[in-house]
Amino acid sequence: MRVVLLGPQGAGKGTQAQRISEKTGAEHISTGDLVRAEIKAGSELGRKIKDYNDRGELVPDEIIIEMAKPYLSETESWLLDGFPRNEAQARALDEALQEIGRDLDWAVALEAPDEELVMRLSGRRQSQATGKIYHVEHDPPPEGGDDKGPFIQREDDAEGAIRRRLEIYHEHTEPLKDYYGEKGILVTVDATRGIPEVTGDVLREMGQPAEGGT
Ligand code: AMP
């Protein structure tokens, strides 16, 4: 199973990718995680891409394509989260797949209105101790529990950067729905529903068994 997961920031791509990966065994490949790992490692590449990440801008296509490509042939079955983000990247993905003689099975688009996304992202906090994600209103970081934090906001979750990321999504990434729609492999899912419901919808749309509500 080879799947790309499309959707604006805050639609829950990372969460859903992780859950679908657990249920299907497909490898979860997140280009955002690759970018953050490179920045954290302080490599030369990391220094080069940090500014783009912090401002909510896209890392240049040739850099992100080179970063993602090795993972595509590493396993048979994967779920790409955050790639492709524009038509040039979608074409590069098609070429890379052609080189290894594989097809894309599905493009899954998660959909939610901008205001909901801004609300979700601006309240998001991540524990530096455990990596767990919280929300200041809906799932506040624990006080005095096992997870002691600190609970930090991602640089690109500041409101200005969120708005910029949504603008880029609408201008460059959303048109990929047509790109994959024309290939007949697009499915769209309402991402405002609960986390287990969205997972169930995605699996059903892809013709996978969607068991239980956890
Ligand atoms: P994400 O966690 O998917 O929101 O990605 C975080 C940041 O990593 C983005 O705002 C970009 O700066 C960079 N990034 C991740 N994936 C891509 C991509 N496919 N193309 C360009 N930049 C990307």
Side-chain angles (χ1 to χ4, degrees):
M1 184 177 89
R2 281 167 297 276
V3 177
V4 300
L5 204 49
L6 306 172
Q9 293 69 24
K13 286 195 303 294
T15 305
Q16 294 300 336
Q18 215 168 341
R19 292 172 58 84
I20 295 160
S21 158
E22 277 163 19
K23 287 176 196 282
T24 62
E27 190 81 22
H28 173 197
I29 305 168
S30 155
T31 46
D33 284 352
L34 296 178
V35 164
R36 284 183 288 278
E38 208 61 57
I39 294 172
K40 200 169 167 200
S43 66
E44 199 186 323
L45 177 59
R47 281 193 294 277
K48 215 150 112 187
I49 60 185
K50 183 174 187 321
D51 264 2
Y52 294 102
N53 175 78
D54 291 358
R55 280 184 280 127
E57 298 287 340
L58 293 186
V59 168
D61 290 342
E62 55 289 1
I63 296 182
I64 204 82
I65 291 165
E66 284 313 305
M67 286 175 76
K69 227 172 152 181
Y71 293 89
L72 304 177
S73 50
E74 215 166 68
T75 49
E76 274 292 307
S77 201
W78 42 247
L79 243 159
L80 264 178
D81 156 18
F83 185 91
R85 289 270 234 280
N86 58 32
E87 194 173 320
Q89 294 181 11
R91 291 193 186 284
L93 175 61
D94 284 347
E95 276 169 32
L97 284 169
Q98 209 167 16
E99 276 169 30
I100 57 174
R102 298 282 183 268
D103 287 323
L104 197 59
D105 297 306
W106 301 105
V108 177
L110 298 180
E111 299 184 320
D114 282 8
E115 286 321 307
E116 164 88 18
L117 300 166
V118 172
M119 193 272 292
R120 287 186 185 182
L121 289 172
S122 54
R124 184 158 78 168
R125 299 291 181 274
Q126 185 168 30
S127 165
Q128 238 171 13
T130 63
K132 189 171 180 315
I133 308 274
Y134 298 92
H135 189 281
V136 287
E137 277 171 39
H138 309 297
D139 181 18
E143 282 174 38
D146 282 349
D147 190 348
K148 296 194 169 29
F151 306 99
I152 51 165
Q153 186 173 37
R154 264 169 59 170
E155 290 283 350
D156 57 344
D157 278 349
E159 183 150 351
I162 294 172
R163 298 259 175 214
R164 181 67 193 130
R165 286 156 73 202
L166 288 175
E167 241 172 59
I168 294 174
Y169 173 76
H170 290 305
E171 192 178 337
H172 298 286
T173 313
E174 207 165 18
L176 293 181
K177 286 197 231 168
D178 291 335
Y179 183 88
Y180 290 116
E182 280 162 23
K183 291 180 188 284
I185 57 170
L186 179 76
V187 297
T188 56
V189 171
D190 175 3
T192 62
R193 283 156 50 78
I195 291 172
E197 287 78 15
V198 175
T199 310
D201 289 351
V202 172
L203 291 171
R204 252 189 310 279
E205 291 285 347
M206 298 192 305
Q208 300 279 322
E211 90 294 336
T214 52

